[in-house]
Amino acid sequence: MQEEQQFVSLLYGRLDTLRARAAEAVRESLAQVGNGMQARIERDVTVAERGRHVAALDAVESGLCFGRLDFSDGVTRHIGRIGIHDDDEERTPMLIDWRAPVARPFYLATGHTPMGLHRRRHLTTHGRRVTALHDETLALDHFARGGHEDPSGDAVLLSALNSARTGRMSDIVRTIQAEQDEIIRAPHQGVLVVEGGPGTGKTAVALHRAAYLLYAHRERLSRSAVLIVGPNPAFLGYIGEVLPSLGETGVWPATVGELFPGVVATGTDSPRAAAVKGDAAMADVLAAALRDRQELPDPELEIEHEDHGTLVLHRDVAEDARTRARDSLLPHNLARPHFAFRVIDALTRQLADRIGADPFGGPNLLDPSDIAQLGREIAQSPAVQQAVESLWPTLTPQRFLADYLADPTHLPAADADAVRRGPGTWTGEKWTPAPWTPADVPLLDEAAELLGEDDSAARAAAERERRERVEYAQGVLEVAYASRTYEFEDKDDEDSEVLGAQDVIDAERMAERHEEDDHRSAAERAAADRGWAFGHIIVDEAQELSAMAWRLLMRRSPNRSMTLVGDPAQTADAAGLGTWDAILSPYVGDRWEYTRLGVNYRTPVEVMDAAAAVPRARNPEFTPPRSVRSTGVRPWARRTDQVLLASAVAEAVKEETPEDGRLAVIAPAALHAGLTEALPEASWGPVPDLTRAVVLLDPRQAKGLEFDAVLVVEPQEYGTSDLYVALTRATQRLGLLHTAALPEGLAELLDHR
């Protein structure tokens, strides 16, 4: 019964066209949508689609179906979070996906352009009971009032904006605005930049755009996957339920620090170190450092061959080999065989001249087969292999970068000091690098490009494994053939005509059937493959990424199909590029589309006025997004003594924590350890639990998040961008606690206590 109730509590909206039946009961519509929903899903969808639908039904809490279309020919269509077909032969749509073209009037119709609709109806339901109706009348001359008209047309939107936060972002399919719908459904080709200030819905639009693209281009994107890059792990946890609630699971959400397979960046950099590592010049620096690893003898290298005495590799010979290897234009590890071949060839000629020299000055006494044998012996010599390794080592990105950061050459002294760190530690035969930082990951990716991956050994191992399977399969077939021969040797010819296993399949095909299938999703395979090309990439807080991070992402997007959302006014990372031209010019020139969201749905006007004073103090021309609502509650500020700060925070938390909602304490990271003692109920750390009533964050962790109430501690210690971010996280109330003077322009806009 509980499961049935879940399905029938999902309708919250309806669209009526000109010839709709005005008096049709809402209860009947609800029953039609709810009854038999699970059975229809089981009958209608493929296994892959069923996974998406089950995810949607598991995650959605605010209603699966939210609208209805009544066409002029009497056909009724419901719209909702996913599409479901009836079980008749025509596969009549039972629920139209919100992304389908026919659903657009729900978001775009106005009184001036009704798009054939009489009214737009939003329903709020609980179980089978309708708890609220909100009608937007679009054609009074054709449709009688029903008593549920919403004069402003914003009741549903404002209800969603004023509702208590849960610590998880919810989808906005009920309240998508026209400007947002245009962005969500924009063509997927090329780069689309979506700029907007705090609270304008940039993230929600980007996520719904991902859902739309997966719907509109299912066949292609289901194979190539969609990458969503977020600013931090807390943010990814916050948005984690949005796409599953819309039935989409074919995405990989990750931070930049997770974009190199096998590496999880847990370390931290100083702002100076992050800026140095993120600079585009690091690409040339790493290339120069790698060339330094391709060394030459000084002036010669003696190699003790176990059978033929001392061989000498001269500098000019090694230099010629290095030049030719570099001229191949192959990455370092792939060019190494070219270098090794020429070194071995030179040593072979040297040894052949020594062994086969004619004492009377004639031609060499060794024939070509003898010389070839000498070459094989030299190539297999451990001493020769060690010599080649010392001059042109085989490197991994991790070891190369760790070695470089231990001795950062090709950098100014101050920059080198900023990034220098230990080379890692050895435990027995295992090497462990120092913890990687998010700024290291793009450098690892750059190193991987420079080094290349010599997969010849892996391919040889795979071929050996394949041959073993074939040999085993051949043995099985031979046993089967022998058994069949024994079985029929005393029978007549007619019985012996029965086909055996070896008659219908050979060893190769039999071996192939026993290969392990890869059952991972495209997103899971993409996460493990550094060279994966994504069908589309969405980057949130795009202004924060460094030039090196953009080099990494552009390698993952050879088709340049990307959606970038951000706000240059909120750039806080020392390595962030901040402007769209700086980000995109090196890769697409001016071939990108720009749009701006100018309406603030999250932040009340009282809070936004105070927050805007911070960037306006530095830039008088700064214009914040326009807030759509007011709470009548001014932000407050309270000054306290440094010694009493923790207790003042604890007291303010008790006062401000909403009964049904979330409060964030945003404070400099250096204060967190002390504040946790005063706030035992608060969740904090690298990945705090945002569903807790009280969460302790630093300004960078707060990016992209929102809370009912926010308490900003020591705002005078923040940079302009960090403070602007912190002040704009609240949907209802904002308070500040400080021990020194407030930043310029902010004091006069606060209610001082």
Side-chain angles (χ1 to χ4, degrees):
M1 181 65 182
Q2 183 177 2
E3 182 180 21
E4 181 184 4
Q5 189 177 26
Q6 176 187 10
F7 293 126
V8 298
S9 65
L10 303 176
L11 175 67
Y12 63 77
R14 190 178 79 182
L15 290 173
D16 294 334
T17 54
L18 294 176
R19 296 179 58 184
R21 292 172 295 173
E24 185 174 4
V26 170
R27 185 184 302 275
E28 179 183 346
S29 297
L30 292 174
Q32 179 185 5
V33 174
N35 292 336
M37 181 75 77
Q38 185 67 37
R40 293 183 188 279
I41 290 178
E42 292 294 331
R43 286 193 296 266
D44 283 349
V45 301
T46 66
V47 173
E49 291 170 333
R50 188 174 302 151
R52 294 194 300 274
H53 293 173
V54 169
L57 294 175
D58 286 343
V60 68
E61 295 179 355
S62 56
L64 181 63
C65 176
F66 57 83
R68 197 181 81 183
L69 295 166
D70 296 335
F71 292 92
S72 57
D73 58 2
V75 176
T76 299
R77 293 285 184 264
H78 290 84
I79 59 173
R81 284 176 168 80
I82 60 175
I84 299 176
H85 293 85
D86 208 334
D87 56 356
D88 55 21
E89 293 183 359
E90 292 79 15
R91 290 180 55 82
T92 303
M94 180 180 178
L95 193 62
I96 301 296
D97 196 294
W98 65 275
R99 296 162 287 191
V102 72
R104 295 202 74 182
F106 193 80
Y107 304 113
L108 301 182
T110 66
H112 182 268
T113 309
M115 302 177 71
L117 303 181
H118 286 301
R119 70 184 180 188
R120 175 166 37 226
R121 168 166 285 181
H122 300 266
L123 295 90
T124 303
T125 63
H126 180 75
R128 290 181 180 268
R129 186 166 58 91
V130 177
T131 59
L133 291 176
H134 297 282
D135 289 346
E136 296 174 60
T137 303
L138 302 176
L140 290 175
D141 54 336
H142 288 86
F143 199 80
R145 289 179 176 270
H148 304 288
E149 284 71 26
D150 172 18
S152 68
D154 293 331
V156 175
L157 174 62
L158 293 176
S159 174
L161 297 179
N162 287 316
S163 63
R165 269 39 189 175
T166 65
R168 293 286 182 266
M169 177 181 277
S170 59
D171 66 69
I172 60 168
V173 290
R174 296 178 62 189
T175 59
I176 292 174
Q177 303 301 294
E179 64 171 354
Q180 297 172 332
D181 186 78
E182 293 292 339
I183 296 171
I184 289 169
R185 299 174 189 265
H188 75 286
Q189 298 93 345
V191 177
L192 174 65
V193 171
V194 182
E195 182 181 312
T200 53
K202 301 183 299 295
T203 297
V205 168
L207 294 175
H208 287 71
R209 176 162 169 75
Y212 172 76
L213 293 177
L214 285 164
Y215 169 84
H217 308 281
R218 176 80 61 198
E219 183 177 353
R220 184 177 66 84
L221 292 183
S222 64
R223 296 193 304 268
S224 57
V226 173
L227 171 65
I228 297 178
V229 180
N232 56 60
F235 173 85
L236 294 181
Y238 175 64
I239 67 170
E241 294 179 0
V242 174
L243 288 172
S245 75
L246 300 175
E248 298 300 345
T249 57
V251 299
W252 179 35
T255 64
V256 170
E258 299 170 311
L259 293 180
F260 192 87
V263 168
V264 178
T266 59
T268 56
D269 277 315
S270 67
R272 176 65 179 274
V276 173
K277 292 179 179 180
D279 194 285
M282 283 301 297
D284 294 331
V285 168
L286 291 180
L290 181 58
R291 290 172 72 88
D292 290 346
R293 300 295 297 269
Q294 300 163 358
E295 300 181 10
L296 298 175
D298 186 22
E300 61 187 26
L301 178 62
E302 293 186 350
I303 305 171
E304 296 296 332
H305 193 281
E306 53 272 22
D307 295 326
H308 302 293
T310 302
L311 300 174
V312 179
L313 178 60
H314 297 282
R315 183 183 180 88
D316 59 341
V317 173
E319 186 171 16
D320 178 69
R322 185 178 72 173
T323 299
R324 291 176 178 269
R326 288 176 173 176
D327 288 345
S328 70
L329 301 181
L330 292 171
H332 173 87
N333 287 333
L334 300 183
R336 184 180 184 274
H338 293 259
F339 175 80
F341 172 80
R342 297 189 182 280
V343 168
I344 291 170
D345 183 62
L347 294 177
T348 300
R349 285 188 276 105
Q350 180 183 129
L351 183 56
D353 290 343
R354 180 193 304 172
I355 295 175
D358 185 346
F360 302 105
N364 196 296
L365 300 177
L366 299 178
D367 61 30
S369 62
D370 295 329
I371 296 175
Q373 179 59 35
L374 287 178
R376 286 190 289 270
E377 292 177 6
I378 290 176
Q380 295 168 4
S381 168
V384 173
Q385 293 174 357
Q386 183 178 358
V388 172
E389 182 69 18
S390 68
L391 299 175
W392 195 295
T394 301
L395 298 169
T396 65
Q398 292 90 330
R399 190 57 191 268
F400 169 67
L401 185 59
D403 289 346
Y404 173 76
L405 294 176
D407 182 21
T409 57
H410 304 283
L411 283 175
D415 290 348
D417 290 340
V419 303
R420 183 177 285 108
R421 68 179 188 184
T425 59
W426 285 92
T427 304
E429 296 183 354
K430 183 180 180 181
W431 171 73
T432 303
W436 299 112
T437 70
D440 289 331
V441 169
L443 300 185
L444 287 168
D445 194 75
E446 188 72 27
E449 285 292 303
L450 294 170
L451 293 172
E453 183 179 359
D454 184 0
D455 62 349
S456 57
R459 286 188 284 106
E463 178 61 20
R464 287 194 299 272
E465 183 179 347
R466 188 191 70 82
R467 289 179 180 176
E468 290 174 359
R469 288 197 303 267
V470 171
E471 291 175 0
Y472 178 80
Q474 186 62 47
V476 170
L477 291 175
E478 290 175 356
V479 170
Y481 178 76
S483 300
R484 176 172 175 273
T485 302
Y486 175 79
E487 180 181 354
F488 288 108
E489 64 181 359
D490 294 330
K491 298 185 178 181
D492 56 31
D493 291 342
E494 183 177 349
D495 290 335
S496 67
E497 293 297 325
V498 178
L499 294 175
Q502 72 283 354
D503 297 318
V504 296
I505 191 171
D506 58 21
E508 290 272 357
R509 292 187 178 180
M510 186 174 182
E512 290 175 359
R513 289 190 177 184
H514 287 81
E515 291 181 3
E516 293 186 6
D517 293 330
D518 189 347
H519 296 290
R520 296 176 299 171
S521 68
E524 291 170 330
R525 295 197 305 274
D529 184 355
R530 192 193 71 83
W532 189 275
F534 288 92
H536 194 78
I537 295 179
I538 291 175
V539 185
D540 204 308
E541 302 292 350
Q543 77 281 350
E544 301 287 357
L545 270 61
S546 70
M548 292 302 295
W550 283 110
R551 286 176 66 88
L552 180 157
L553 287 179
M554 291 300 174
R555 293 189 188 104
R556 305 294 195 278
S557 181
N559 64 351
R560 301 294 190 262
S561 178
M562 309 178 82
T563 301
L564 314 182
V565 299
D567 180 14
Q570 298 183 60
T571 305
D573 197 288
L577 294 182
T579 69
W580 303 118
D581 281 331
I583 291 170
L584 295 171
S585 292
Y587 304 101
V588 296
D590 60 357
R591 300 183 304 278
W592 47 279
E593 298 294 328
Y594 171 89
T595 186
R596 179 173 178 81
L597 296 170
V599 178
N600 186 336
Y601 300 100
R602 175 206 302 145
T603 316
V605 64
E606 296 83 359
V607 173
M608 198 64 219
D609 286 346
V614 175
R616 190 176 286 129
R618 298 183 61 182
N619 176 17
E621 302 300 321
F622 174 77
T623 303
R626 177 179 58 85
S627 296
V628 299
R629 63 194 179 96
S630 170
T631 61
V633 180
R634 290 179 62 193
W636 58 264
R638 182 182 301 157
R639 187 162 184 171
T640 185
D641 187 84
Q642 184 69 50
V643 177
L644 302 176
L645 180 62
S647 59
V649 171
E651 180 182 353
V653 166
K654 290 180 181 179
E655 296 173 355
E656 296 295 324
T657 302
E659 293 184 4
D660 184 19
R662 304 294 180 270
L663 179 141
V665 179
I666 304 177
L671 300 180
H672 283 201
L675 290 177
T676 54
E677 297 181 5
L679 302 173
E681 73 276 28
S683 177
W684 68 296
V687 189
D689 181 1
L690 300 178
T691 64
R692 296 272 288 273
V694 180
V695 182
L696 176 60
L697 305 167
D698 65 45
R700 301 295 173 85
Q701 288 179 301
K703 272 188 171 294
L705 308 182
E706 61 182 21
F707 304 89
D708 300 271
V710 171
L711 183 63
V712 179
V713 181
E714 298 288 50
Q716 72 280 0
E717 296 188 11
Y718 300 3
T720 299
S721 295
D722 282 340
L723 182 55
Y724 183 53
V725 168
L727 296 175
T728 54
R729 300 303 99 191
T731 66
Q732 301 294 334
R733 298 175 61 85
L734 172 67
L736 290 78
L737 282 171
H738 56 108
T739 62
L742 290 169
E744 179 185 2
L746 186 59
E748 57 270 23
L749 295 171
L750 301 176
D751 179 12
H752 294 274
R753 300 182 180 180

PDB file of all heavy atoms in Angstrom, residues 285 403-412 415-421:
ATOM      1  N   VAL A 285      57.240  24.426 -18.832  1.00  0.00           N
ATOM      2  CA  VAL A 285      58.188  24.079 -17.774  1.00  0.00           C
ATOM      3  C   VAL A 285      58.324  22.561 -17.653  1.00  0.00           C
ATOM      4  O   VAL A 285      59.435  22.027 -17.563  1.00  0.00           O
ATOM      5  CB  VAL A 285      57.737  24.697 -16.438  1.00  0.00           C
ATOM      6  CG1 VAL A 285      58.532  24.113 -15.269  1.00  0.00           C
ATOM      7  CG2 VAL A 285      57.899  26.212 -16.477  1.00  0.00           C
ATOM      8  N   ASP A 403      59.245  13.807  -8.711  1.00  0.00           N
ATOM      9  CA  ASP A 403      60.666  14.154  -8.821  1.00  0.00           C
ATOM     10  C   ASP A 403      60.834  15.630  -9.169  1.00  0.00           C
ATOM     11  O   ASP A 403      61.729  16.300  -8.639  1.00  0.00           O
ATOM     12  CB  ASP A 403      61.339  13.288  -9.894  1.00  0.00           C
ATOM     13  CG  ASP A 403      61.483  11.837  -9.460  1.00  0.00           C
ATOM     14  OD1 ASP A 403      61.316  11.556  -8.259  1.00  0.00           O
ATOM     15  OD2 ASP A 403      61.756  10.987 -10.332  1.00  0.00           O
ATOM     16  N   TYR A 404      59.975  16.123 -10.059  1.00  0.00           N
ATOM     17  CA  TYR A 404      60.099  17.521 -10.455  1.00  0.00           C
ATOM     18  C   TYR A 404      59.798  18.456  -9.282  1.00  0.00           C
ATOM     19  O   TYR A 404      60.519  19.437  -9.048  1.00  0.00           O
ATOM     20  CB  TYR A 404      59.169  17.853 -11.621  1.00  0.00           C
ATOM     21  CG  TYR A 404      59.168  19.328 -11.914  1.00  0.00           C
ATOM     22  CD1 TYR A 404      60.237  19.919 -12.574  1.00  0.00           C
ATOM     23  CD2 TYR A 404      58.141  20.151 -11.454  1.00  0.00           C
ATOM     24  CE1 TYR A 404      60.282  21.288 -12.793  1.00  0.00           C
ATOM     25  CE2 TYR A 404      58.170  21.510 -11.669  1.00  0.00           C
ATOM     26  CZ  TYR A 404      59.244  22.074 -12.335  1.00  0.00           C
ATOM     27  OH  TYR A 404      59.293  23.420 -12.531  1.00  0.00           O
ATOM     28  N   LEU A 405      58.709  18.189  -8.538  1.00  0.00           N
ATOM     29  CA  LEU A 405      58.343  19.070  -7.436  1.00  0.00           C
ATOM     30  C   LEU A 405      59.363  19.021  -6.304  1.00  0.00           C
ATOM     31  O   LEU A 405      59.443  19.971  -5.502  1.00  0.00           O
ATOM     32  CB  LEU A 405      56.948  18.704  -6.910  1.00  0.00           C
ATOM     33  CG  LEU A 405      55.796  18.958  -7.889  1.00  0.00           C
ATOM     34  CD1 LEU A 405      54.480  18.475  -7.309  1.00  0.00           C
ATOM     35  CD2 LEU A 405      55.708  20.429  -8.263  1.00  0.00           C
ATOM     36  N   ALA A 406      60.136  17.942  -6.228  1.00  0.00           N
ATOM     37  CA  ALA A 406      61.214  17.899  -5.233  1.00  0.00           C
ATOM     38  C   ALA A 406      62.370  18.804  -5.636  1.00  0.00           C
ATOM     39  O   ALA A 406      63.120  19.294  -4.783  1.00  0.00           O
ATOM     40  CB  ALA A 406      61.705  16.459  -5.056  1.00  0.00           C
ATOM     41  N   ASP A 407      62.501  19.045  -6.940  1.00  0.00           N
ATOM     42  CA  ASP A 407      63.555  19.926  -7.448  1.00  0.00           C
ATOM     43  C   ASP A 407      62.993  20.699  -8.631  1.00  0.00           C
ATOM     44  O   ASP A 407      63.281  20.393  -9.790  1.00  0.00           O
ATOM     45  CB  ASP A 407      64.778  19.103  -7.866  1.00  0.00           C
ATOM     46  CG  ASP A 407      65.925  19.978  -8.361  1.00  0.00           C
ATOM     47  OD1 ASP A 407      65.935  21.178  -8.026  1.00  0.00           O
ATOM     48  OD2 ASP A 407      66.799  19.450  -9.083  1.00  0.00           O
ATOM     49  N   PRO A 408      62.154  21.711  -8.363  1.00  0.00           N
ATOM     50  CA  PRO A 408      61.436  22.421  -9.433  1.00  0.00           C
ATOM     51  C   PRO A 408      62.336  23.365 -10.223  1.00  0.00           C
ATOM     52  O   PRO A 408      62.511  24.524  -9.862  1.00  0.00           O
ATOM     53  CB  PRO A 408      60.330  23.170  -8.687  1.00  0.00           C
ATOM     54  CG  PRO A 408      60.865  23.343  -7.300  1.00  0.00           C
ATOM     55  CD  PRO A 408      61.756  22.180  -7.031  1.00  0.00           C
ATOM     56  N   THR A 409      62.863  22.851 -11.297  1.00  0.00           N
ATOM     57  CA  THR A 409      63.733  23.645 -12.170  1.00  0.00           C
ATOM     58  C   THR A 409      62.896  24.487 -13.130  1.00  0.00           C
ATOM     59  O   THR A 409      61.673  24.337 -13.220  1.00  0.00           O
ATOM     60  CB  THR A 409      64.659  22.725 -12.969  1.00  0.00           C
ATOM     61  OG1 THR A 409      63.849  21.790 -13.702  1.00  0.00           O
ATOM     62  CG2 THR A 409      65.584  21.952 -12.035  1.00  0.00           C
ATOM     63  N   HIS A 410      63.585  25.382 -13.852  1.00  0.00           N
ATOM     64  CA  HIS A 410      62.948  26.219 -14.882  1.00  0.00           C
ATOM     65  C   HIS A 410      61.876  27.140 -14.303  1.00  0.00           C
ATOM     66  O   HIS A 410      60.966  27.564 -15.032  1.00  0.00           O
ATOM     67  CB  HIS A 410      62.354  25.360 -15.994  1.00  0.00           C
ATOM     68  CG  HIS A 410      63.342  24.432 -16.634  1.00  0.00           C
ATOM     69  ND1 HIS A 410      64.281  24.845 -17.550  1.00  0.00           N
ATOM     70  CD2 HIS A 410      63.562  23.099 -16.455  1.00  0.00           C
ATOM     71  CE1 HIS A 410      65.020  23.810 -17.926  1.00  0.00           C
ATOM     72  NE2 HIS A 410      64.613  22.748 -17.280  1.00  0.00           N
ATOM     73  N   LEU A 411      61.950  27.447 -13.013  1.00  0.00           N
ATOM     74  CA  LEU A 411      61.031  28.384 -12.382  1.00  0.00           C
ATOM     75  C   LEU A 411      61.833  29.448 -11.650  1.00  0.00           C
ATOM     76  O   LEU A 411      62.930  29.179 -11.154  1.00  0.00           O
ATOM     77  CB  LEU A 411      60.125  27.671 -11.364  1.00  0.00           C
ATOM     78  CG  LEU A 411      58.958  26.843 -11.892  1.00  0.00           C
ATOM     79  CD1 LEU A 411      58.268  26.127 -10.745  1.00  0.00           C
ATOM     80  CD2 LEU A 411      57.956  27.706 -12.646  1.00  0.00           C
ATOM     81  N   PRO A 412      61.293  30.656 -11.529  1.00  0.00           N
ATOM     82  CA  PRO A 412      61.947  31.653 -10.673  1.00  0.00           C
ATOM     83  C   PRO A 412      62.089  31.116  -9.254  1.00  0.00           C
ATOM     84  O   PRO A 412      61.289  30.283  -8.802  1.00  0.00           O
ATOM     85  CB  PRO A 412      60.998  32.858 -10.734  1.00  0.00           C
ATOM     86  CG  PRO A 412      60.236  32.670 -11.998  1.00  0.00           C
ATOM     87  CD  PRO A 412      60.091  31.198 -12.194  1.00  0.00           C
ATOM     88  N   ASP A 415      58.953  31.157  -6.991  1.00  0.00           N
ATOM     89  CA  ASP A 415      57.941  30.183  -7.417  1.00  0.00           C
ATOM     90  C   ASP A 415      58.392  28.767  -7.101  1.00  0.00           C
ATOM     91  O   ASP A 415      57.585  27.923  -6.690  1.00  0.00           O
ATOM     92  CB  ASP A 415      57.679  30.326  -8.918  1.00  0.00           C
ATOM     93  CG  ASP A 415      56.961  31.620  -9.255  1.00  0.00           C
ATOM     94  OD1 ASP A 415      56.465  32.279  -8.330  1.00  0.00           O
ATOM     95  OD2 ASP A 415      56.913  31.966 -10.453  1.00  0.00           O
ATOM     96  N   ALA A 416      59.671  28.478  -7.313  1.00  0.00           N
ATOM     97  CA  ALA A 416      60.196  27.146  -7.002  1.00  0.00           C
ATOM     98  C   ALA A 416      60.048  26.851  -5.521  1.00  0.00           C
ATOM     99  O   ALA A 416      59.669  25.733  -5.122  1.00  0.00           O
ATOM    100  CB  ALA A 416      61.654  27.043  -7.436  1.00  0.00           C
ATOM    101  N   ASP A 417      60.335  27.831  -4.668  1.00  0.00           N
ATOM    102  CA  ASP A 417      60.190  27.626  -3.223  1.00  0.00           C
ATOM    103  C   ASP A 417      58.733  27.373  -2.851  1.00  0.00           C
ATOM    104  O   ASP A 417      58.441  26.597  -1.932  1.00  0.00           O
ATOM    105  CB  ASP A 417      60.708  28.850  -2.468  1.00  0.00           C
ATOM    106  CG  ASP A 417      62.221  28.985  -2.555  1.00  0.00           C
ATOM    107  OD1 ASP A 417      62.885  27.959  -2.859  1.00  0.00           O
ATOM    108  OD2 ASP A 417      62.733  30.095  -2.333  1.00  0.00           O
ATOM    109  N   ALA A 418      57.799  28.014  -3.564  1.00  0.00           N
ATOM    110  CA  ALA A 418      56.378  27.862  -3.243  1.00  0.00           C
ATOM    111  C   ALA A 418      55.874  26.453  -3.533  1.00  0.00           C
ATOM    112  O   ALA A 418      55.036  25.926  -2.789  1.00  0.00           O
ATOM    113  CB  ALA A 418      55.548  28.886  -4.020  1.00  0.00           C
ATOM    114  N   VAL A 419      56.359  25.829  -4.604  1.00  0.00           N
ATOM    115  CA  VAL A 419      55.824  24.522  -5.009  1.00  0.00           C
ATOM    116  C   VAL A 419      56.677  23.357  -4.530  1.00  0.00           C
ATOM    117  O   VAL A 419      56.256  22.201  -4.632  1.00  0.00           O
ATOM    118  CB  VAL A 419      55.672  24.435  -6.540  1.00  0.00           C
ATOM    119  CG1 VAL A 419      54.777  25.544  -7.060  1.00  0.00           C
ATOM    120  CG2 VAL A 419      57.026  24.472  -7.246  1.00  0.00           C
ATOM    121  N   ARG A 420      57.880  23.627  -4.017  1.00  0.00           N
ATOM    122  CA  ARG A 420      58.800  22.531  -3.652  1.00  0.00           C
ATOM    123  C   ARG A 420      58.221  21.695  -2.515  1.00  0.00           C
ATOM    124  O   ARG A 420      57.634  22.208  -1.570  1.00  0.00           O
ATOM    125  CB  ARG A 420      60.152  23.093  -3.233  1.00  0.00           C
ATOM    126  CG  ARG A 420      61.186  22.002  -2.921  1.00  0.00           C
ATOM    127  CD  ARG A 420      62.530  22.584  -2.570  1.00  0.00           C
ATOM    128  NE  ARG A 420      63.216  23.084  -3.760  1.00  0.00           N
ATOM    129  CZ  ARG A 420      63.407  24.342  -4.056  1.00  0.00           C
ATOM    130  NH1 ARG A 420      62.949  25.290  -3.229  1.00  0.00           N
ATOM    131  NH2 ARG A 420      64.049  24.707  -5.148  1.00  0.00           N
ATOM    132  N   ARG A 421      58.404  20.376  -2.630  1.00  0.00           N
ATOM    133  CA  ARG A 421      57.980  19.468  -1.564  1.00  0.00           C
ATOM    134  C   ARG A 421      58.805  18.195  -1.640  1.00  0.00           C
ATOM    135  O   ARG A 421      59.560  17.986  -2.597  1.00  0.00           O
ATOM    136  CB  ARG A 421      56.500  19.136  -1.683  1.00  0.00           C
ATOM    137  CG  ARG A 421      56.138  18.298  -2.895  1.00  0.00           C
ATOM    138  CD  ARG A 421      54.660  18.008  -2.917  1.00  0.00           C
ATOM    139  NE  ARG A 421      54.306  17.055  -3.955  1.00  0.00           N
ATOM    140  CZ  ARG A 421      53.063  16.701  -4.230  1.00  0.00           C
ATOM    141  NH1 ARG A 421      52.069  17.229  -3.563  1.00  0.00           N
ATOM    142  NH2 ARG A 421      52.803  15.823  -5.179  1.00  0.00           N
TER     143      ARG A 421
END
